[in-house]
Amino acid sequence: MKQNFDLPPEGGEELAALLERSGVEFTREREEFHFRFASGGCVWQTVCCCRGSRVLVYGIHPTPVTDPVGALALCGEINSRVVEGSLFLTEERFVFRTGVQLTERFEAQARIAAALEYNAAVLSRFWERLAAAAQGRSFHL
């Protein structure tokens, strides 16, 4: 198969290749990927949505939010501290979203891996604080 190296790579193909090469168990439904991510004893669901050459990464904290007012305040605080991505509430869960625009084939998987790692780093860094805020408790770092 001849590839046109002038065109941006397709995110779903690159993500699938990265996950398979890394040995990650995942499910794929068209351009949506689901898998578990773990870091420092914390385990959460990660969902990636691929739209052409764009890959969006959603890390979902497992603790249900029972105090949306406090949770939204924490979202604002964390969003003011992160360099990339954003934290928000959806379906009573904290979700941290990062993304990457793939521009060329040679570094596509490395860029996806960096987005996944950054997403995981933010979730694991604020893990206890997110869990406490979800349940209406305060937790100071």
Side-chain angles (χ1 to χ4, degrees):
M1 177 172 127
K2 183 179 176 186
Q3 294 187 357
N4 185 341
F5 288 97
D6 292 334
L7 296 176
E10 202 282 314
E13 291 175 15
E14 297 295 336
L15 177 59
L18 173 67
L19 294 174
E20 287 169 0
R21 185 173 50 86
S22 301
V24 174
E25 290 185 31
F26 65 94
T27 60
R28 180 178 185 178
E29 205 171 299
R30 290 198 267 292
E31 297 307 312
E32 190 171 288
F33 295 74
H34 296 259
F35 53 94
R36 289 251 185 255
F37 211 109
S39 177
C42 310
V43 179
W44 63 92
Q45 180 74 23
T46 299
V47 176
C48 295
C49 298
C50 301
R51 298 180 180 131
S53 60
R54 181 110 176 116
V55 178
L56 298 172
V57 179
Y58 298 89
I60 305 166
H61 194 282
T63 305
V65 173
T66 59
D67 177 23
V69 173
L72 287 172
L74 182 59
C75 285
E77 182 183 332
I78 290 174
N79 284 333
S80 72
R81 298 170 92 180
V82 297
V83 176
E84 296 178 23
S86 61
L87 181 69
F88 57 93
L89 288 179
T90 188
E91 299 177 9
E92 300 179 343
R93 294 283 193 271
F94 283 111
V95 177
F96 187 68
R97 181 184 69 198
T98 52
V100 62
Q101 179 70 44
L102 306 176
T103 56
E104 61 90 16
R105 194 166 312 280
F106 296 108
E107 66 177 14
Q109 290 183 29
R111 293 186 73 186
I112 295 170
L116 289 167
E117 290 168 5
Y118 186 83
N119 192 286
V122 169
L123 275 178
S124 60
R125 164 71 175 92
F126 295 107
W127 187 266
E128 292 299 325
R129 193 141 183 226
L130 291 167
Q135 298 172 344
R137 297 180 288 118
S138 63
F139 181 89
H140 301 286
L141 300 177

